[in-house]
Amino acid sequence: MVLGDMNIHLDNPSSSGFLSLMSSFDLKLVQSPPTHKAGKALDLIFTRNCAIDTISVTPLHLSDHYFIHFSTTLQGRSTASSPMVSFRRNLRNLAPNHFSSLVASTLPSPSTFSAYEVNDATESLCSTLCSCLNNLCPLATRPARSSQSHPWLNDTLRSLRTNLRAAERKWRKTKDPGDQLKFHELLSSFSASITDAKKAFYTDKILSSTDSQKLFSTFKTLLNPPSPPPTNNLSADTFASFFTDKVAAISKQFTQLATPEHSLPQTPSSPTISSPTASFSSFSPLTENCVSKLLTCSRPTTCPLDPIPTKLLQAIAPTVAAAVTHVINASLTSGTFPTSLKHAQVKPLLKKKHLFLQIMWRTTDLSLSSLFCPKSLKGWLSSRSQNTSHKTVCLTLTNLGSKRATPLKLALLAVTESLKEARATAKSSVLILLDLSAAFDTVNHGFLLSTLSSMGITEKAHAWFESYLTGRSFSVSWLGQSSTVHHLATGVPQGSVLGPLLFAIYTTSLGEIIRSHGFSYHCYADDTQLYLSFPPDNHTVSARISNCLSDISKWMKSHHLQLNLSKTELLVIPAKPSVQQNISIQNDFLSLAPSKAVRNLGVVIDEHLTIKDHVASVARSCSFALYNI
């Protein structure tokens, strides 16, 4: 069956060609009354192997075209797939005070709970929270929505929609013109109410927004078309296998090196790591006030693995603060990370730069696990900031307490200003942008633990990090289904508090290699920026770049990290526009030619250190967005 507004006048002689084309596909035109207020049949219906029993048209005040109603009998029988269902809780009617009282009466007494070991205490706390939530607000099944409910829908609009649907059903049943008129009046009123509610919702959201990132996200939802529906021929196990196969393929490229305890692999140009001048053997216990503050100030992110929503956990923080404090302190003092908090759930996301779905590894551990950032370790590392071998680690620690976008801004400003200062002193510069493939997922636990030992982390503190890293697992959630559990032998959790810190510690010795070649550098997660300033008449720059990249590549391989050569970029900034710098890299593993402009942490920079290309790109995006309006 083919139907729609063809906008073809059948009384026009030129329409014979169209009818012949449809007839060649064995499609027959169904005769119908005029479907347009001008008295023309513009909305056509073509069928094949099916018959139209009855057909009628009804004028609508919202359109020049009429509403067409018909019934048909289709041949064949398709197997209907089982409808998807969702599990939801009616949290609107849950009173936090009532829930807090139930949790307080269900939890074991403080004297009993304080005697539990870390795993028993974690299981007891999580099971209590989960059971209390199930008692007061059990899960209810309902058909899954094909799309999410619009945020501007309120109870008044839902009531109007209910009345509108009732009026439509009544008119369909009685065929009374009076009922039809009432339906049209309700439809017009409901459409106007929807427009007003949508306008008021977004106006209030835009005017009250204080976060620029959320503001631009709001504009994006308004201006960009919706994303296409996900492909249904992929399963959760397909994505899980893709992720594990990708990490396994990267690991096979490396030489299997032994990792004896307290030993770190060295590349030919790696500096020797000196013995630690201080040791860190245990964590300081947290106070109940500190835990309460962490509970209420953390971001309210929730995943299906959580026993209760994070907002609800924050609402009952005074009730559970003592139990959470015991879980954390028992973990830190025993050197054991809770086993139940080591599982992660992964959701596949569409990657913008590719036309296929790729796993974007995001851990969504229990919200309690975000409290396990050892603050005493941070203070101990920060006190060693005079040791240049730990500069990268200390910079990361400094940025952990800043606003979310601050480290990215610092990385961009630091590199750009250094390049501008070099050009102001009549020096040319080169900027090299390195990228790693699945860097967080291929971190070798043995190497990382050896690095921690070399920094002086010993005994219970070292045992805690070993427990934190090992025994992790994940499953993929896709279209309401969950994959089988896959266990992880490498990697640090992305999206966690300790993930970026541990990765910075893991790559500490890389900074020494870069500096040994005279390069400055800046790291932001797994993106590394190398830059070097030199007199314009220096002809050894290409060799220095080649030697530095060669040593970096050797370091990467020895640490089981893969350098993404396809995303490695080189930008040459001449001292003056008239100066020509002939720089190109050609060696056994890399062929690199300068680019006129590169994308550095999302910002396009050209060889004259302007952002004209970036502005042009943003202007094109704005034009596209305005066109969508």
Side-chain angles (χ1 to χ4, degrees):
M1 181 180 296
V2 178
L3 68 165
D5 179 12
M6 305 297 181
N7 201 23
I8 294 178
H9 297 265
L10 296 180
D11 56 355
N12 194 320
S14 61
S15 64
S16 60
F18 173 74
L19 295 177
S20 299
L21 174 64
M22 302 302 288
S23 179
S24 66
F25 291 96
D26 197 21
L27 292 169
K28 298 179 181 180
L29 175 66
V30 177
Q31 299 298 327
S32 68
T35 62
H36 191 267
K37 70 176 184 179
K40 302 291 184 179
L42 302 183
D43 303 273
L44 308 181
I45 303 174
F46 293 87
T47 62
R48 183 176 63 187
N49 297 331
C50 61
I52 299 296
D53 297 334
T54 59
I55 183 170
S56 62
V57 295
T58 303
L60 295 175
H61 76 286
L62 295 178
S63 173
D64 296 337
H65 295 259
Y66 297 164
F67 176 78
I68 304 175
H69 180 271
F70 62 88
S71 60
T72 181
T73 303
L74 301 178
Q75 297 182 359
R77 186 176 181 180
S78 59
T79 303
S81 59
S82 58
M84 293 181 57
V85 297
S86 62
F87 300 88
R88 301 186 180 183
R89 300 181 189 272
N90 187 13
L91 296 175
R92 296 180 180 178
N93 299 329
L94 179 62
N97 293 336
H98 188 192
F99 181 74
S100 178
S101 301
L102 180 60
V103 171
S105 61
T106 308
L107 275 174
S109 63
S111 59
T112 303
F113 194 85
S114 60
Y116 288 165
E117 295 183 354
V118 56
N119 284 321
D120 295 334
T122 306
E123 291 293 340
S124 176
L125 175 61
C126 293
S127 62
T128 299
L129 294 176
C130 188
S131 62
C132 291
L133 185 62
N134 288 332
N135 289 335
L136 297 180
C137 191
L139 280 174
T141 60
R142 59 180 299 178
R145 291 178 178 267
S146 58
S147 60
Q148 293 184 353
S149 177
H150 296 296
W152 57 82
L153 279 178
N154 50 39
D155 293 337
T156 302
L157 290 177
R158 291 187 176 93
S159 177
L160 291 175
R161 184 174 59 184
T162 301
N163 296 334
L164 174 64
R165 290 173 176 173
E168 182 182 9
R169 288 192 298 269
K170 183 177 181 181
W171 164 56
R172 298 291 183 194
K173 183 178 181 179
T174 63
K175 303 296 183 180
D176 187 355
D179 293 335
Q180 180 185 5
L181 180 61
K182 183 177 181 180
F183 164 65
H184 287 169
E185 291 176 352
L186 290 176
L187 179 61
S188 178
S189 175
F190 179 71
S191 300
S193 300
I194 283 287
T195 302
D196 294 339
K198 185 177 180 180
K199 180 179 178 181
F201 172 81
Y202 281 108
T203 300
D204 179 69
K205 188 173 183 179
I206 291 173
L207 294 178
S208 61
S209 178
T210 57
D211 187 349
S212 59
Q213 186 175 4
K214 293 182 179 180
L215 182 62
F216 279 100
S217 177
T218 302
F219 288 146
K220 184 177 180 180
T221 58
L222 287 173
L223 301 178
N224 283 358
S227 57
T231 307
N232 291 328
N233 59 350
L234 298 174
S235 64
D237 287 303
T238 302
F239 286 109
S241 299
F242 171 82
F243 172 76
T244 53
D245 293 344
K246 178 182 179 181
V247 175
I250 295 176
S251 301
K252 287 181 180 179
Q253 301 178 14
F254 307 126
T255 303
Q256 298 298 324
L257 300 176
T259 57
E261 188 177 2
H262 307 304
S263 66
L264 186 69
Q266 301 290 329
T267 61
S269 56
S270 295
T272 302
I273 299 180
S274 58
S275 300
T277 57
S279 63
F280 184 86
S281 59
S282 61
F283 297 107
S284 301
L286 298 180
T287 63
E288 187 173 330
N289 291 334
C290 180
V291 172
S292 297
K293 184 178 180 180
L294 291 175
L295 280 173
T296 55
C297 295
S298 60
R299 293 178 58 199
T301 56
T302 305
C303 89
L305 298 179
D306 298 339
I308 62 174
T310 306
K311 287 187 177 180
L312 187 57
L313 179 67
Q314 292 177 333
I316 64 169
T319 302
V320 299
V324 175
T325 302
H326 170 68
V327 171
I328 295 175
N329 289 336
S331 172
L332 297 179
T333 55
S334 65
T336 304
F337 191 81
T339 304
S340 59
L341 304 186
K342 294 184 182 183
H343 184 72
Q345 190 176 80
V346 179
K347 291 186 178 181
L349 300 177
L350 181 64
K351 204 170 183 180
K352 293 182 179 179
K353 296 183 179 180
H354 299 279
L355 298 179
F356 56 87
L357 286 169
Q358 182 176 1
I359 288 290
M360 302 296 289
W361 176 247
R362 294 293 182 269
T363 56
T364 49
D365 291 339
L366 180 69
S367 304
L368 296 177
S369 65
S370 63
L371 306 177
F372 282 89
C373 182
K375 294 184 177 297
S376 53
L377 172 68
K378 290 171 58 178
W380 178 75
L381 284 175
S382 300
S383 65
R384 305 183 63 195
S385 59
Q386 295 181 354
N387 190 336
T388 57
S389 65
H390 301 293
K391 188 179 296 184
T392 304
V393 177
C394 295
L395 178 61
T396 303
L397 291 172
T398 303
N399 291 335
L400 281 177
S402 307
K403 292 183 179 179
R404 185 176 180 182
T406 299
L408 178 61
K409 294 177 181 178
L410 286 176
L412 285 171
L413 290 175
V415 174
T416 304
E417 290 302 316
S418 296
L419 297 177
K420 287 183 177 181
E421 290 176 2
R423 192 176 58 174
T425 58
K427 288 185 177 181
S428 299
S429 302
V430 291
L431 173 64
I432 306 171
L433 304 179
L434 305 179
D435 184 82
L436 302 179
S437 298
F440 278 66
D441 306 321
T442 57
V443 169
N444 185 284
H445 293 164
F447 294 166
L448 177 56
L449 292 172
S450 296
T451 304
L452 293 174
S453 297
S454 67
M455 297 176 64
I457 298 178
T458 60
E459 300 180 11
K460 291 295 184 181
H462 190 274
W464 186 90
F465 278 106
E466 184 175 2
S467 176
Y468 175 80
L469 292 171
T470 56
R472 288 192 167 268
S473 60
F474 80 96
S475 59
V476 175
S477 176
W478 175 250
L479 296 180
Q481 303 295 325
S482 182
S483 70
T484 57
V485 176
H486 290 249
H487 297 278
L488 299 170
T490 60
V492 293
Q494 289 192 43
S496 63
V497 177
L498 287 178
L501 173 60
L502 292 177
F503 186 79
I505 293 175
Y506 189 72
T507 57
T508 298
S509 58
L510 177 61
E512 292 295 334
I513 295 177
I514 296 174
R515 282 192 293 268
S516 66
H517 290 274
F519 283 77
S520 299
Y521 73 99
H522 230 281
C523 297
Y524 183 79
D526 56 347
D527 293 309
T528 304
Q529 309 164 82
L530 312 179
Y531 52 100
L532 174 68
S533 301
F534 54 91
D537 56 352
N538 190 332
H539 302 291
T540 64
V541 177
S542 296
R544 293 178 62 183
I545 296 176
S546 180
N547 293 335
C548 182
L549 292 179
S550 177
D551 285 345
I552 290 176
S553 178
K554 294 176 182 177
W555 185 94
M556 295 288 184
K557 290 180 180 179
S558 67
H559 287 71
H560 292 196
L561 298 176
Q562 183 182 30
L563 187 63
N564 194 340
L565 301 180
S566 62
K567 292 186 179 180
T568 299
E569 294 182 290
L570 171 64
L571 180 67
V572 179
I573 302 98
K576 297 179 180 179
S578 58
V579 177
Q580 298 294 329
Q581 299 288 165
N582 297 323
I583 297 176
S584 61
I585 310 302
Q586 188 76 36
N587 53 33
D588 296 338
F589 69 96
L590 178 63
S591 179
L592 190 60
S595 303
K596 294 293 184 181
V598 296
R599 182 176 294 275
N600 184 20
L601 298 178
V603 178
V604 181
I605 303 175
D606 59 25
E607 58 186 353
H608 303 297
L609 294 179
T610 66
I611 56 173
K612 292 182 178 180
D613 292 338
H614 185 78
V615 172
S617 176
V618 173
R620 286 193 297 268
S621 300
C622 292
S623 299
F624 173 77
L626 292 174
Y627 179 79
N628 286 336
I629 297 178

